[in-house]
Amino acid sequence: MTAMAERQSHAGSEPTVAARTAVAWGSIALVSLVLLSCDGDPSTARTPTMNDGAARSPCFVDVTADLHLDFVHENGASGKRWFVETNGSGATWLDFDGDRRLDLFLMQGAALPGFTATRPLHDVLLRATAQGFVDATPAEMRGESAHGMAAAHADYDNDGDPDLYVTNYGPNVLWRNDGGGRFTDVTTAAGVADGDRYHSSCAWADFDRDGDLDLYVAGYVDFRVGDGKTCGEPKRGPEFASYCHPDMYQGIDDTLFRNDGNGTFTDVSREAGLAGARGKGLGVAIGDFDDDGDADVFVANDSDPNFLWRNDSKDGALRFANVAALWGVEFNGEGRTQSCMGTAFGDVDGDLDLDLFTVNLSNETNTLWLKEGDHFRDRSYASGMAGPSMPNVGFGTLLADLDNDGDQDVVVANGHVLDNAELLLPGITYRQQAQLCWNDGTARFTVATPSDAGSYFGERHVGRGLAAADFDDDGDLDLLFTHNREQAQLLRNERGSSRSWIGFELVGKRSPSDGSGAELLVRAGDRTLRRATRIGESYLCGHDRRVLVGLGDARDPVDIEILWPSGTRQTLQQLPTRQYHRVEEPR
């Protein structure tokens, strides 16, 4: 059975769309955490209980200090509460020097009017060594001082090493990796600066299946420093002033750049059907949700209807249609927009199709849409994640098998956008705890306690980015959290590798060289698992390109089928577990 046929063998109605309700930061009514299921059946609501692993050693251990990871984000705030201060920033994992160790690139903020920097502020490239991370930021990057947002790596020129695209409040930058730790700013020559705008997440994918990577860039809002807007309750005193809600600003268009294969890109947003949509994009997820073999795009919009761009490209011409309303993800199950930040595709219920997850503002639920045939249905309450998410503001998020039991868990980086939330929103805090939610295999989740998940999950931070990688090559996913105006923290997974696993480094020949966009079906015993390279997920962040698959108790060799972006299908049999396999696409 082919991968496509097997998915379809596991294969509604349109949602009721309520009138859009704009909600200001300071006027959100507190909502009871005891709520009816979106299905209308209160019996499906589920109260999370302590995970049965609470007596075990913690899953994650903070190794930030041990590995000399001393990056501290600065947002340039001076008390004026410029809107751009509160949303950054991201990071990405990449092996930039080819030594088989995963290095880190972290985005930095910038000085804003009224702020005096006490140290140089620029993005940072950290090289991984046996002793930990060392600063390897090349001189040309040290001179780049924009207010950074997202980082995404990819081998856009198919020369065998990862390049870097970074989005900013202002023009973006494309760094071409020239080897030997050298990077060249080729933004102007490539044509991908994307103007003096407020950008957010970005993602690389071979949308036209021509063998090179195209680029999707989410635009946020039309904000300018010094715009004169004053929000919150400043009449009560300056301490009651706040960052404005995004409803105070007009959304801006996203941009789609087609890779022309010669080092240049062409903005094809208008021809492709994206122009004029004007969402307030924050998170971008890439996945083949309709199983037709090409890469589709979900954009998590902030207080605006979400986008689900179905890829209808043909004969090299990029074409997309926004089918969010048709598929039920434009609004949540109550017909309302949400303040969506991070997002991810993944098969959380094991039926071999892609489900969708977004994390949102406090007093909104995080939203889990399960794919059911030809539409998605909001199953947030039935999943057990709705209630526990209500006090939090989620940014980075992952659908990932963190304990290698064969199903995808959820982790969320939380932190409010208002630095004085305690004054303005009763019961809400600025610094918040991250959450790890264990999946029981049926898309029902329990929130792990800090004693089970690790001490970091009992701490409070202004969480923003969340990037995953098996940085120590032991067969489980480790987690990097970035924080607004705080130090980034790296958590090593101590539990996942106790179970069986298998990993893949994919090398494209007809497809992009780094395997971006490849999907796998892994057959282990009586289970079949669907996994993919992580090319668009979380918020502002990039991840380990290798595909790591948890196998639970399955120890026997496994069979896999790879669907490459080119359309090539490749089957490999009887692969041994507990190791990484380098797989090249057939020519």
Side-chain angles (χ1 to χ4, degrees):
M1 180 180 290
T2 67
M4 192 68 67
E6 185 160 357
R7 290 179 207 160
Q8 292 173 346
S9 71
H10 286 270
S13 59
E14 295 184 13
T16 300
V17 179
R20 179 175 178 274
T21 303
V23 183
W25 293 133
S27 61
I28 302 172
L30 289 175
V31 182
S32 170
L33 299 187
V34 182
L35 298 170
L36 291 179
S37 162
C38 285
D39 302 317
D41 178 4
S43 68
T44 61
R46 186 165 174 266
T47 301
T49 58
M50 181 178 294
N51 186 268
D52 61 5
R56 295 178 288 176
S57 298
C59 185
F60 288 97
V61 174
D62 188 338
V63 293
T64 309
D66 296 341
L67 297 179
H68 313 293
L69 177 57
D70 57 1
F71 176 83
V72 178
H73 176 260
E74 178 56 70
N75 66 5
S78 62
K80 300 180 185 297
R81 293 190 170 89
W82 306 119
F83 190 57
V84 69
E85 296 166 7
T86 194
N87 283 345
S89 62
T92 194
W93 292 94
L94 74 165
D95 178 13
F96 79 90
D97 52 3
D99 66 353
R100 314 295 294 175
R101 291 189 176 101
L102 285 174
D103 311 300
L104 266 175
F105 183 81
L106 297 112
M107 299 295 292
Q108 184 59 278
L112 295 169
F115 175 86
T116 301
T118 58
R119 59 190 172 100
L121 297 179
H122 54 75
D123 303 336
V124 172
L125 181 64
L126 301 179
R127 176 184 286 115
T129 72
Q131 292 75 39
F133 292 100
V134 297
D135 191 340
T137 311
E140 54 269 25
M141 288 185 180
R142 294 179 186 274
E144 206 280 318
S145 59
H147 209 292
M149 295 298 292
H153 75 275
D155 185 11
Y156 82 90
D157 52 2
N158 283 334
D159 66 350
D161 52 31
D163 311 293
L164 275 165
Y165 187 75
V166 299
T167 70
N168 296 308
Y169 172 65
N172 302 328
V173 180
L174 176 60
W175 295 106
R176 187 187 65 208
N177 189 340
D178 293 330
R182 298 182 302 274
F183 286 81
T184 300
D185 181 349
V186 295
T187 312
T188 301
V192 291
D194 202 29
D196 186 12
R197 310 193 310 150
Y198 192 166
H199 305 93
S200 57
S201 294
C202 59
W204 296 93
D206 185 6
F207 293 115
D208 51 8
R209 302 172 71 177
D210 65 350
D212 52 37
L213 289 166
D214 312 299
L215 178 62
Y216 191 100
V217 182
Y220 188 36
V221 297
D222 186 15
F223 162 78
R224 293 291 182 271
V225 170
D227 61 10
K229 289 184 171 64
T230 302
C231 297
E233 303 175 63
K235 291 182 179 179
R236 297 176 60 188
E239 69 275 20
F240 288 92
S242 73
Y243 296 106
C244 291
H245 190 276
D247 282 347
M248 297 290 289
Y249 302 97
Q250 174 69 47
I252 60 177
D253 280 341
D254 299 345
T255 306
L256 178 62
F257 291 105
R258 184 191 65 218
N259 190 333
D260 296 327
N262 58 1
T264 68
F265 293 76
T266 299
D267 182 346
V268 295
S269 309
R270 183 167 299 281
E271 302 95 303
L274 275 62
R278 292 192 177 180
K280 298 170 184 171
L282 285 177
V284 174
I286 306 292
D288 182 13
F289 80 90
D290 55 358
D291 294 326
D292 65 350
D294 52 30
D296 309 298
V297 183
F298 176 81
V299 181
N301 285 321
D302 190 358
S303 300
D304 272 3
N306 297 317
F307 299 150
L308 181 60
W309 294 109
R310 185 185 64 206
N311 190 342
D312 293 336
S313 302
K314 186 177 180 180
D315 299 328
L318 286 167
R319 297 286 187 274
F320 287 82
N322 183 13
V323 295
L326 179 66
W327 281 79
V329 296
E330 186 176 37
F331 305 96
N332 68 4
E334 297 172 336
R336 298 178 183 275
T337 59
Q338 294 178 295
S339 299
C340 301
M341 272 71 82
T343 184
F345 277 119
D347 179 15
V348 300
D349 54 2
D351 64 355
L352 301 182
D353 56 28
L354 291 183
D355 309 302
L356 181 63
F357 185 63
T358 62
V359 293
N360 308 309
L361 192 66
S362 56
N363 297 312
E364 299 175 352
T365 71
N366 292 342
T367 304
L368 176 64
W369 285 282
L370 296 185
K371 186 182 174 188
E372 300 178 0
D374 60 355
H375 65 283
F376 291 91
R377 190 178 296 277
D378 184 341
R379 299 294 191 185
S380 308
Y381 292 101
S383 73
M385 288 192 294
S389 69
M390 293 284 282
N392 300 315
V393 177
F395 277 89
T397 190
L398 295 169
L399 297 179
D401 186 1
L402 298 172
D403 55 359
N404 281 352
D405 64 352
D407 50 54
Q408 294 194 304
D409 310 301
V410 169
V411 62
V412 182
N414 292 313
H416 212 284
V417 291
L418 302 183
D419 59 357
N420 54 357
E422 290 85 351
L423 285 176
L424 299 173
L425 302 173
I428 302 298
T429 62
Y430 179 43
R431 290 176 172 79
Q432 299 177 343
Q433 294 175 335
Q435 289 179 309
L436 172 60
C437 303
W438 297 120
N439 186 351
D440 71 358
T442 67
R444 292 179 179 268
F445 295 82
T446 54
V447 180
T449 63
S451 61
D452 180 32
S455 60
Y456 173 84
F457 293 89
E459 301 170 5
R460 293 184 180 272
H461 296 282
V462 187
R464 292 296 183 261
L466 173 57
D470 182 13
F471 81 87
D472 52 1
D473 295 323
D474 66 346
D476 51 30
L477 280 177
D478 312 295
L479 303 175
L480 175 81
F481 288 84
T482 69
H483 307 125
N484 191 278
R485 212 172 192 178
E486 291 184 54
Q487 184 175 12
Q489 286 180 254
L490 177 58
L491 309 184
R492 185 176 63 213
N493 192 330
E494 299 283 276
R495 186 181 298 171
S497 59
S498 64
R499 288 190 167 114
S500 187
W501 59 275
I502 191 168
F504 301 95
E505 178 187 358
L506 303 178
V507 181
K509 297 301 181 180
R510 297 173 58 202
S511 301
S513 66
D514 60 8
S516 293
E519 290 206 1
L520 283 77
L521 287 180
V522 179
R523 301 183 182 94
D526 60 355
R527 298 183 71 181
T528 301
L529 304 172
R530 179 180 182 178
R531 299 293 185 262
T533 54
R534 297 180 186 276
I535 57 172
E537 186 176 9
S538 193
Y539 171 76
L540 307 182
C541 286
H543 315 278
D544 191 342
R545 278 287 192 273
R546 296 173 297 177
V547 182
L548 180 62
V549 185
L551 301 173
D553 297 326
R555 305 288 177 178
D556 294 333
V558 302
D559 300 338
I560 70 164
E561 182 176 4
I562 305 173
L563 176 60
W564 294 88
S566 66
T568 300
R569 295 182 185 278
Q570 182 178 10
T571 300
L572 300 171
Q573 296 180 325
Q574 295 296 290
L575 297 179
T577 61
R578 301 191 69 83
Q579 66 183 70
Y580 280 97
H581 299 267
R582 179 182 168 92
V583 180
E584 293 189 0
E585 179 185 18
R587 291 185 183 275

